[in-house]
Amino acid sequence: MDRISTGVAGLDTMLGGGLIPRRPYVVSGPTGSGKTILAMHFLAEGLGRGEAGLMVTLDEPPNEVKSNLSAFGWNLDRLKMLDATPDIKAHKRQRSVIDVGTTLDVRDMEQVGEIRQSSGIRALEVSVHGIQKMLKQEYFGHLERTKQPYKRIVVDSLTALKMFSMQGEDSRIMIQSFLRFLSELEATCLIVSERLKPTVIETEFFLARGEIRFHKWLDGNVIRRAISIEKYRGSRFDDRIRPITITNAGITVDSQGSVSLTAGRLAKLGDAYLEQRIGDEVSTVIERVMKLIEEANKMRVSASDVEHGISRAMLHLHRKNYQKALKTALNAQSVLRERLDRAKQGLPPPPPRAVPPPPGVRK
Ligand SMILES: Nc1ncnc2c1ncn2[C@@H]1O[C@H](COP(=O)(O)OP(=O)(O)O)[C@@H](O)[C@H]1O
Ligand SMILES: [Mg+2]
């Protein structure tokens, strides 16, 4: 199978040769752990092979990103960067955080005004939707101009958006649709995302086909870093945490190395791991339903109730109600399977079976 190099040899090794092309992946980890540097390795690797690369930057404006990374000596002249930094700083001085959330601005976009005016859409929706539109325009514009699709796309990061927006049902649906949009492109995509709370699994983590996670901790007065593959659909991978170093040559993974941690730290990591694995079980079912939803959309079979059901399953998972999460996801799966089977046989849709709306959602 063809693999896409991340630009970091040791990480490719951990990934069993690299990334499976044309899929979205999540890069997670705390601030300063190496996410943006990895994203740039990935893009620079592509540019070196003559592949077009696109970066949507939300955390820092393009010139700042480039100057922060100038030490690494990558030639990024041909990298297309879209500035989607919300104009938070300007608002922050005058307004509370809540107000900022409602006045988020995405630059370089014509459609925002039109979206913002439609009623009831909150800041995050405007932003995720806006970014999707902006990306779509750039992707297809580029394809038309050059007859070459973007092969590598990075979104860095979804976190800033979320911190200034409300987390809700509709926002999860928006992120689902964004991930689906990305997986339909020719490009291999990296989505940078921090976990706002360690135990909360954000929507994008379910829908991504893999997760590369960075770790960073203090060992005495030395900052240590490590990397792990948390999930990788359709591939074998190294499931251990491996130490990394960052120098002027970028990220180096010690793919034979092991991470020694103090007992306390290890215990904490252990809990997080267990939690993650249980979540992963449920997320497998959720992903399966997401694929069915995709199929339903293609066949023009209605699935919005199922989409809400899945969102509800995610909510249960966030609240660590694993049994409920699984039950809700399986129910959504069986409802949609039946509907699709009937559609394939040319039968009318089955009588409505309730996929109850998630708690707190107004009709
Ligand atoms: N030239 C360099 N040499 C060594 N370390 C660096 C260099 N440039 C940046 N770093 C370190 O790499 C860290 C990770 O950077 P970055 O990828 O931007 O983190 P984030 O995960 O927040 O995106 C920075 O906090 C900095 O300490
Ligand atoms: Mg960063």
Side-chain angles (χ1 to χ4, degrees), residues 29-38 68-69 71-72 156 192 194 216 225 246-248:
T31 306
S33 58
K35 303 184 297 295
T36 300
I37 297 176
L38 173 64
N68 288 346
L69 299 175
F72 302 105
D156 185 9
V192 177
E194 284 169 36
K216 189 184 100 176
R225 293 190 176 83
I246 302 177
T247 64
N248 278 353

Side-chain angles (χ1 to χ4, degrees), residues 67-136:
S67 84
N68 288 346
L69 299 175
S70 57
F72 302 105
W74 287 311
N75 181 357
L76 303 174
D77 294 346
R78 276 177 301 130
L79 177 65
K80 174 76 183 178
M81 288 182 95
L82 294 179
D83 184 357
T85 51
D87 200 6
I88 288 166
K89 287 185 190 112
H91 294 292
K92 211 173 192 169
R93 280 177 233 117
Q94 311 146 12
R95 299 164 199 263
S96 74
V97 168
I98 298 294
D99 283 343
V100 171
T102 59
T103 55
L104 270 182
D105 204 18
V106 179
R107 289 202 285 272
D108 272 354
M109 283 180 45
E110 295 133 44
Q111 301 95 335
V112 157
E114 156 215 332
I115 300 163
R116 186 177 291 136
Q117 277 158 24
S118 66
S119 63
I121 300 183
R122 294 188 301 257
L124 176 64
E125 284 84 64
V126 170
S127 307
V128 173
H129 198 114
I131 283 153
Q132 183 171 331
K133 278 203 163 187
M134 175 171 144
L135 239 169
K136 193 172 183 178

Side-chain angles (χ1 to χ4, degrees), residues 54-345:
L54 172 64
M55 180 175 203
V56 185
T57 170
L58 289 104
D59 285 355
E60 299 151 321
N63 52 349
E64 274 179 41
V65 175
K66 284 194 177 171
S67 84
N68 288 346
L69 299 175
S70 57
F72 302 105
W74 287 311
N75 181 357
L76 303 174
D77 294 346
R78 276 177 301 130
L79 177 65
K80 174 76 183 178
M81 288 182 95
L82 294 179
D83 184 357
T85 51
D87 200 6
I88 288 166
K89 287 185 190 112
H91 294 292
K92 211 173 192 169
R93 280 177 233 117
Q94 311 146 12
R95 299 164 199 263
S96 74
V97 168
I98 298 294
D99 283 343
V100 171
T102 59
T103 55
L104 270 182
D105 204 18
V106 179
R107 289 202 285 272
D108 272 354
M109 283 180 45
E110 295 133 44
Q111 301 95 335
V112 157
E114 156 215 332
I115 300 163
R116 186 177 291 136
Q117 277 158 24
S118 66
S119 63
I121 300 183
R122 294 188 301 257
L124 176 64
E125 284 84 64
V126 170
S127 307
V128 173
H129 198 114
I131 283 153
Q132 183 171 331
K133 278 203 163 187
M134 175 171 144
L135 239 169
K136 193 172 183 178
Q137 193 175 310
E138 175 59 33
Y139 183 88
F140 290 103
H142 178 268
L143 185 59
E144 201 166 300
R145 285 192 305 277
T146 66
K147 310 294 169 214
Q148 297 288 328
Y150 279 113
K151 289 287 180 131
R152 297 174 186 237
I153 297 177
V154 167
V155 179
D156 185 9
S157 75
L158 285 186
T159 310
L161 281 181
K162 289 194 209 163
M163 291 206 284
F164 291 92
S165 326
M166 304 217 261
Q167 285 279 33
E169 175 71 16
D170 296 337
S171 73
R172 283 196 292 275
I173 302 266
M174 284 293 180
I175 291 176
Q176 284 175 35
S177 127
F178 182 52
L179 272 275
R180 205 179 305 134
F181 161 75
L182 290 180
S183 62
E184 283 162 8
L185 304 179
E186 296 277 315
T188 307
C189 304
L190 296 188
I191 298 140
V192 177
S193 182
E194 284 169 36
R195 283 165 193 255
L196 293 179
K197 296 190 204 102
T199 51
V200 169
I201 304 165
E202 316 275 349
T203 311
E204 59 271 24
F205 290 87
F206 290 107
L207 302 177
R209 311 305 278 275
E211 179 188 348
I212 297 166
R213 191 187 298 180
F214 282 89
H215 309 267
K216 189 184 100 176
W217 70 99
L218 209 57
D219 180 4
N221 52 12
V222 182
I223 293 176
R224 303 245 184 241
R225 293 190 176 83
I227 198 167
S228 61
I229 313 296
E230 290 300 310
K231 136 172 149 178
Y232 193 5
R233 300 277 177 235
S235 176
R236 69 185 168 83
F237 62 94
D238 177 0
D239 63 2
R240 296 184 57 183
I241 308 183
R242 303 294 184 183
I244 62 169
T245 47
I246 302 177
T247 64
N248 278 353
I251 296 170
T252 312
V253 176
D254 178 0
S255 51
Q256 302 299 317
S258 60
V259 170
S260 62
L261 296 158
T262 61
R265 171 77 201 180
L266 197 60
K268 249 165 84 187
L269 270 179
D271 282 352
Y273 263 58
L274 191 62
E275 193 93 33
Q276 168 88 20
R277 300 292 177 227
I278 300 166
D280 218 38
E281 293 289 323
V282 184
S283 89
T284 305
V285 180
I286 293 179
E287 276 177 43
R288 216 181 294 140
V289 180
M290 297 309 304
K291 281 214 190 102
L292 292 175
I293 293 174
E294 222 166 284
E295 199 182 321
N297 286 344
K298 278 189 197 132
M299 293 172 61
R300 306 200 178 283
V301 169
S302 125
S304 58
D305 56 336
V306 175
E307 221 161 350
H308 279 276
I310 278 304
S311 212
R312 190 159 154 269
M314 290 181 193
L315 191 68
H316 285 313
L317 199 59
H318 288 181
R319 294 177 179 166
K320 303 188 198 175
N321 294 328
Y322 299 111
Q323 294 304 324
K324 270 192 189 162
L326 192 60
K327 206 173 145 193
T328 311
L330 288 171
N331 179 44
Q333 175 176 282
S334 83
V335 168
L336 191 52
R337 279 225 172 112
E338 185 185 353
R339 207 176 287 163
L340 282 171
D341 283 349
R342 291 183 70 102
K344 280 174 198 160
Q345 293 165 38

